[in-house]
């Protein structure tokens, strides 16, 4: 009944912290960084203090002239204050538009043009070093969270502005705009409503119900990702202490986890991949984790096995969700130590009964299968109603109530959805690149990333990253690839040199373009 009420009225973003503070005022939120908007709070605060901070900045935004229904782009240096400002914008009935700090200036300009003369919340560092001057012309008003700049309003100058009452828009109205990952080009702007967020809350809350007792929840999810909203709503409503990370550097994370001992851990798949080395840390930073949760992308079986093997908790669980910014989570599955993830790593899970639906549509008239994957389409009330500024592009992916994910796969006789490739990444005649990458990870412990992309002649090229950037063991590589589809010689890069999205996914098309720009893959360092 509670989940049904959430779905009907939607998630009220503007009062998220206020309502959590009413139930659990002393609940603690720990950060690994200082807040740009309130460095005096330090890195440990109560939910009540954060609720007051949201209220305070809502008042400052109102004093700056932001009004209900207006759009406010938040693009600033990385930190949890992105989330707090998002809630402050929503509290006065305006619509926050979150743009990742990792986006380049040209992309920010393009997305601001799609929004159409919004207010812009940013900081001096962004204006001075990353954003082109034209953003000042595209914005109705520029509001600074730190520093100063000619023609901009400093939010600190509005401290003490009179508090204003919270505005709650109807559930069907826009409450937030986030951007897609941009793996295939310029990101799209996804418009979320209170009702679509409510629909997304239900399946995620069902998974969270596995957590029976009060646990510290550690989260490293992009502050502009839609998943963070529901993750916070669930954790805060249950009074779980929070550890919010802006940095996923393993040594820093290990020190924090060793001290705070989280029982629940949520991150992007590639972050978990980077944290594999924590399993061997003598401080045992993962020893108390009972529940691992991965956001909307498939995760490598080796990573799941490593995480489950690193905890000392009895019967740990790894929950995997598959979905998309446009639709939220649509299928899920749970891994345990007894259920080996290496046997079927491409199985991303099953739909949530009564909440989501999945079908696979043939591409060639034959039933979709492992050898002839079809288009994955989903049905969910969590689907966004439109792309901001790109309605026609949105409608090309919609077929009535069904939404085409852009992924290829099939369903087994038991109903499990297998994800084999992104449609744009398919290499004719090769089979599933994702399945081959999974097998390489299982066979080569030295790999920290492997991405198979076509070179300019269409030949599959494995681009690999190794632990501590050590040279690839060529004999081990030949043994690992025995019996696999034919590939070119591997190209070794540093992990830091891979083109990434805001959620750390590799931009495969961009990587293939970089390959083509070089003098053929074989001239790259091996």
């Amino acid at each position: 009944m509670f989940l049904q009420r959430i779905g009907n009225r939607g998630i009220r973003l503007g009062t998220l912290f206020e309502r959590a503070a009413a139930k659990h005022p002393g609940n603690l939120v720990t950060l690994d960084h200082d807040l740009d908007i309130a460095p005096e709070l330090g890195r440990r605060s109560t939910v009540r203090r954060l609720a007051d901070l949201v209220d305070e900045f809502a008042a400052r935004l109102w004093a700056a002239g932001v009004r209900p229904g207006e759009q406010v782009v938040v693009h600033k240096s990385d930190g949890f204050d992105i989330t707090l400002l998002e809630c402050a914008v929503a509290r006065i009935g305006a619509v926050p538009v979150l743009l990742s700090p990792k986006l380049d200036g040209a992309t920010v300009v393009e997305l601001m043009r799609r929004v159409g003369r919004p207010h812009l919340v940013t900081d001096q560092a962004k204006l001075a070093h990353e954003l082109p001057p034209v953003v000042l012309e595209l914005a109705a008003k520029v509001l600074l969270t730190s520093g100063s700049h000619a023609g901009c309003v400093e939010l600190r100058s509005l401290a003490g502005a009179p508090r204003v009452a919270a505005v709650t828009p109807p559930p069907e109205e826009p409450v937030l705009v986030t951007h897609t990952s941009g793996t295939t080009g310029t990101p799209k702007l996804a418009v979320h409503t209170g009702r679509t967020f409510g629909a997304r809350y239900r399946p995620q809350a069902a998974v969270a119900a596995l957590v029976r007792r009060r646990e510290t929840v550690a989260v490293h999810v992009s502050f502009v990702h839609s998943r963070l909203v529901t993750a916070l709503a669930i954790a805060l409503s249950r009074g779980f202490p929070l550890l919010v990370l802006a940095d996923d550097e393993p040594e820093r994370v290990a020190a924090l986890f060793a001290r705070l001992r989280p029982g629940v851990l949520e991150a992007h798949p590639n972050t978990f991949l980077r944290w594999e080395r924590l399993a061997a840390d003598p401080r045992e930073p993962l020893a108390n984790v009972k529940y691992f949760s991965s956001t909307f992308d498939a995760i490598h079986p080796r990573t799941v096995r490593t995480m489950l093997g690193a905890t000392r908790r009895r019967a740990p669980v790894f929950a995997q969700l598959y979905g998309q910014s446009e639709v939220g989570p649509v299928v899920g599955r749970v891994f345990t130590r007894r259920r080996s993830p290496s046997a079927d790593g491409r199985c991303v899970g099953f739909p949530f009964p009564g909440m989501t639906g999945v079908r696979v549509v043939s591409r060639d008239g034959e039933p979709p299968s492992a050898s002839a994957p079809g288009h994955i389409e989903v049905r969910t009330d969590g689907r966004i109603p439109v792309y901001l500024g790109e309605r026609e592009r949105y409608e090309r992916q919609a077929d009535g109530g069904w939404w085409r994910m852009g992924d290829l796969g099939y369903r087994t006789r038991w109903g499990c959805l297998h994800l084999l490739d992104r449609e744009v990444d398919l290499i004719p005649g090769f089979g599933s690149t994702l399945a081959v990458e999974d097998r390489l990870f299982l066979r080569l412990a030295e790999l920290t990333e492997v991405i198979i992309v076509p070179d300019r002649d269409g030949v599959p090229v494995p681009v690999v990253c190794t632990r501590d950037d050590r040279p690839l063991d060529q004999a081990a590589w030949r043994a690992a690839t025995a019996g696999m589809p034919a590939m070119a010689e591997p190209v070794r890069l540093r992990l830091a040199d891979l083109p990434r999205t805001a959620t750390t996914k590799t931009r495969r098309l961009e990587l293939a373009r970089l390959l083509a720009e070089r003098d053929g893959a074989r001239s790259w360092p091996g």
Side-chain angles (χ1 to χ4, degrees):
M1 182 64 70
F2 172 73
L3 296 184
Q4 186 62 46
R5 289 201 304 270
I6 289 288
N8 289 338
R9 72 190 182 198
I11 285 183
R12 293 168 290 167
L13 182 60
T15 55
L16 179 62
F17 284 90
E18 178 184 321
R19 287 178 287 111
K23 295 172 62 178
H24 310 284
N27 190 24
L28 290 175
V29 177
T30 303
L31 307 176
D32 68 342
H33 59 286
D34 295 325
L35 295 171
D36 290 340
I37 62 173
E40 69 279 1
L41 284 186
R43 300 189 177 187
R44 188 176 173 89
S45 187
T46 64
V47 172
R48 173 179 283 170
R49 292 178 71 190
L50 292 178
D52 185 68
L53 187 63
V54 169
D55 193 9
E56 162 70 18
F57 271 82
R60 297 189 197 188
L61 291 166
W62 185 274
V66 179
R67 292 296 181 263
E70 295 180 340
Q71 293 162 326
V72 181
V73 168
V74 180
H75 175 71
K76 63 173 297 296
S77 301
D78 207 17
F80 188 55
D81 45 13
I82 292 174
T83 300
L84 299 175
L85 289 164
E86 166 193 358
C87 292
V89 171
R91 184 176 177 81
I92 57 176
V95 181
V97 181
L98 305 184
L99 301 186
S100 170
K102 298 180 180 180
L103 293 177
D104 61 85
T107 300
V108 172
V109 167
E110 169 60 25
L111 296 180
M112 284 188 64
R113 285 197 171 105
R114 290 185 199 168
V115 177
R117 201 151 178 78
H119 300 288
L120 171 63
V121 174
T122 187
D123 52 45
Q124 182 183 18
K126 284 288 182 184
L127 286 177
H129 304 296
E130 299 179 35
L131 293 176
V134 70
V135 298
L136 299 176
E137 302 171 16
L138 296 174
K141 189 174 295 183
V142 178
L143 311 174
L144 296 181
T145 59
S146 59
S148 60
H149 194 281
C152 301
V153 177
E154 299 173 25
L155 287 174
R156 64 186 174 189
S157 69
L158 301 174
R163 302 294 176 97
V164 294
V167 177
T168 302
E172 64 275 5
E173 291 296 317
V175 294
L176 176 66
V177 178
T178 62
H179 63 80
T180 60
S181 60
T183 54
T184 59
T186 302
K188 302 175 283 287
L189 291 173
V191 177
H192 307 275
T193 69
R195 198 177 301 283
T196 61
F197 264 129
R200 294 177 184 211
Y201 181 95
R202 293 197 302 271
Q204 293 175 73
V207 174
L210 294 170
V211 184
R212 299 295 186 183
R213 74 182 199 188
R214 193 169 183 261
E215 304 269 9
T216 295
V217 178
V219 180
H220 179 68
V221 174
S222 168
F223 296 118
V224 302
H225 197 289
S226 59
R227 163 59 185 154
L228 190 59
V229 173
T230 46
L232 288 175
I234 293 167
L236 292 174
S237 68
R238 296 186 64 179
F240 289 177
L242 273 168
L243 169 58
V244 181
L245 305 172
D247 185 1
D248 68 350
E249 197 281 317
E251 177 59 31
R252 290 191 63 197
V253 170
L256 273 173
F257 286 1
R259 178 165 58 90
L260 297 176
R261 297 294 175 186
V264 181
L265 185 53
E266 165 130 12
H268 299 296
N270 279 342
T271 298
F272 277 120
L273 178 62
R274 193 178 187 199
W275 287 349
E276 283 186 5
R277 65 174 56 199
L278 301 187
D281 192 296
R283 292 167 290 185
E284 296 188 309
L286 301 175
N288 191 52
V289 181
K290 172 78 171 180
Y291 306 95
F292 300 87
S293 176
S294 176
T295 51
F296 302 161
D297 300 303
I299 191 166
H300 293 297
R302 187 190 79 185
T303 303
V304 175
R305 187 176 62 188
T306 302
M307 293 294 112
L308 291 174
T311 175
R312 291 184 176 272
R313 295 286 290 270
R314 182 175 175 272
V317 169
F318 197 112
Q320 173 183 284
L321 298 174
Y322 164 72
Q324 199 175 67
S325 297
E326 291 91 329
V327 294
V330 289
V331 303
R333 70 173 300 189
V334 169
F335 295 104
T336 66
R337 287 173 178 156
R338 297 180 61 185
R339 187 178 182 186
S340 172
S342 60
D344 54 357
R346 287 296 92 212
C347 171
V348 292
F350 301 83
F352 296 94
M355 304 179 201
T356 64
V358 175
R359 71 181 185 186
V360 182
V361 179
S362 173
R363 294 187 298 144
D364 55 10
E366 297 296 322
S369 65
S371 58
H375 299 287
I376 297 175
E377 297 185 352
V378 304
R379 184 197 297 272
T380 170
D381 290 342
R383 190 177 95 187
I384 62 170
V386 73
Y387 289 136
L388 189 62
E390 295 186 289
R391 179 170 293 278
E392 290 184 4
R393 191 175 184 183
Y394 172 88
E395 291 175 349
R396 284 199 299 270
Q397 284 185 251
D399 179 11
W402 293 96
W403 177 260
R404 180 158 292 187
M405 298 285 283
D407 293 331
L408 300 177
Y410 69 99
R411 296 188 75 178
T412 66
R413 60 184 295 188
W414 307 110
C416 176
L417 177 66
H418 281 240
L419 169 65
L420 299 186
D421 272 303
R422 286 287 292 172
E423 186 176 355
V424 296
D425 299 327
L426 186 68
I427 302 177
F430 183 78
S432 170
T433 58
L434 299 180
V436 172
E437 291 164 9
D438 281 346
R439 293 202 295 273
L440 287 170
F441 269 111
L442 288 168
R443 296 178 185 182
L444 290 168
E446 65 185 297
L447 294 182
T448 57
E449 185 61 285
V450 55
I451 302 292
I452 300 171
V453 296
D455 68 8
R456 56 188 176 186
D457 298 319
V459 177
V461 180
V463 179
V464 302
C465 305
T466 56
R467 203 171 303 281
D468 299 320
D469 294 322
R470 292 190 293 263
L472 183 66
D473 185 328
Q474 296 294 333
W477 175 265
R478 288 192 294 272
T481 55
M484 290 187 179
M487 294 178 280
E489 290 299 308
V491 172
R492 185 168 62 88
L493 292 181
R494 295 187 311 147
L495 197 63
D497 291 335
L498 293 179
R500 299 278 200 174
T501 69
T503 56
T504 72
K505 289 190 290 187
T506 300
R507 300 175 63 188
R508 291 173 180 258
L509 294 182
E510 177 67 10
L511 182 58
R513 186 188 65 79
L514 292 174
L515 274 173
E517 286 183 352
R518 304 272 180 134
D519 185 22
R522 292 166 183 78
S523 71
W524 287 40

